[in-house]
Amino acid sequence: MKISKQIAFIGSLGFGSLLMVASCSKQLHPTQKDFQQYHINSDMQADPTVVSIYEPFKHKMEVEMNRVIGHADKALTKEKTAETLMGNFFCEALLWMSEHNAHNPADIAFATKGGIRNDLKAGDITVGHIFEVMPFENTLTVLELKGTQIRQLADYIASTHGQPIAGMTLTITGNKAQDIKIKGLAIEDNKLYKLVTYDYLANGGDNLTLLTQSVSRANYPQRMREGLIEYVSELTKEGKKVNAELDGRIKIN
């Protein structure tokens, strides 16, 4: 392959990566209409000049992506059920981040099933595995919401047949949430609660415009992916395995 074609190919990978990391923040549209597509297969010979340019970076990236940061005795999966092991793990990590990264401990953590992109298999957990779970550039956000707004969020969770949460329990009856408790106590409509999530949802993503009407909002530079890596690494330092249990935080009547 000619050098120009290989550079174009590498450039297209970069553009594709840009689209991937931005896909959970805003819609992007290509501004250049004219392009030429190159078909790359095993018949093409690598250009040693180009390979010598990117090979050192590829090696460094592979070393970092393969770095083991933790271990899971069982798979953390994200089935289409109201409560999942992966969702519970992810939201427990969110609560940890609100305390240790933001120093703004939240009462509740909330994510969506679609935002968590992959399972964690049983065995060693690497940096690359965490990138597969959260490939986006989303950052940590802590919102203050009234109890009445938390009720609306709980109804959203019920109407979508359950979403990842921590710090809150509820029962789904039809498309409504009942028996809502925050940290084990019945929800109070006039009380303010702190909810930790990520900027995409705080900006109204996934039809969650109610989160844009929060009483207050604190944004943090902590990327979700980096926070997850820190959380797993910290568990390992404490001699703990990555784990999660189904504890009935979301029940269905």
Side-chain angles (χ1 to χ4, degrees), residues 86-100:
M86 189 63 205
N88 288 2
F89 159 77
F90 191 91
C91 282
E92 296 298 340
L94 269 174
L95 284 181
W96 184 90
M97 283 183 236
S98 73
E99 181 174 354
H100 292 85

Side-chain angles (χ1 to χ4, degrees), residues 8 12 15 30-39:
S12 69
F15 181 67
T31 57
Q32 183 177 343
K33 295 181 180 179
D34 299 327
F35 68 94
Q36 183 172 355
Q37 184 173 0
Y38 298 101
H39 296 284

